Amino acid sequence: MKSDTYHHGNLKEELIENGLKYIDKYGTETFSMRKLADSIGVSPAAPYAHFKNREAFLSEVRTYIADRFYTLLKETIDNCLESSRILLELGKSYVLFFRENPLYYRFLFSIDNIDIDDYPPFGLFKSTAEKELKGMLGDKADDFIIHAKVIALWSLVHGLSSIVTIRGVLDADNIKAEVELVLGSINV
């Protein structure tokens, strides 16, 4: 192997990030481990040191994104000092994560078999929203109403996440303020 193709650093993460770019451009149908290796200048065997096969790679990409997303949401909850703002801050973090990582959004939510019951970021979002809504609604907080409000909140942040991945829809120079304005305009 030529010295200019020698690889050092976090190969696994580089494979994942480059794999996402490839999949975004060409789709999963044409994706192969060999093409991935070629795209970053490593031997065709190098990806197999981290992933058993193509399916294991795609599964690991899902996990990689979900872990990063979950960590951000958890940090948002842990760092929010005002309980009255927790839903707003959680929503902003949700939307801005995908604004900053549009490839993650397109990959993660293009999957046909995503199991929402086994998706930790949604579980965290749901449990936090349920707790906050029960606190806000008090005696009016029956399970059906809470569930409906959680779905409405999730629909809002998920839909807005889709919108902010499209450049030019919101003011890029004031994206955080604009996202907060949109999210804050809805009463729960």
Side-chain angles (χ1 to χ4, degrees), residues 27-94:
T28 55
E29 302 79 25
T30 64
F31 175 79
S32 73
M33 300 299 277
R34 178 177 288 281
K35 288 177 184 175
L36 177 58
D38 288 346
S39 75
I40 61 172
V42 296
S43 77
Y48 294 100
H50 299 282
F51 312 103
K52 182 178 178 180
N53 54 35
R54 178 183 182 277
E55 289 70 31
F57 172 80
L58 294 173
S59 177
E60 185 66 28
V61 171
R62 286 184 208 103
T63 300
Y64 172 84
I65 295 169
D67 288 350
R68 294 182 102 175
F69 188 33
Y70 180 90
T71 298
L72 175 71
L73 296 178
K74 182 76 172 111
E75 287 172 358
T76 299
I77 293 165
D78 292 345
N79 294 327
C80 185
L81 302 175
E82 297 178 49
S83 65
S84 64
R85 288 187 56 86
I86 191 72
L87 294 177
L88 179 61
E89 295 301 325
L90 193 59
K92 279 177 28 185
S93 290
Y94 189 114

Side-chain angles (χ1 to χ4, degrees), residues 66 69 94 108-109 111-127 147 150-151 154-155 158:
F69 188 33
Y94 189 114
L108 196 59
F109 298 111
I111 301 168
D112 293 336
N113 64 351
I114 193 166
D115 181 359
I116 203 66
D117 292 326
D118 191 31
Y119 179 58
F122 178 71
L124 181 61
F125 180 87
K126 180 182 175 193
S127 64
H147 178 73
V150 168
I151 296 302
W154 186 43
S155 298
H158 193 72

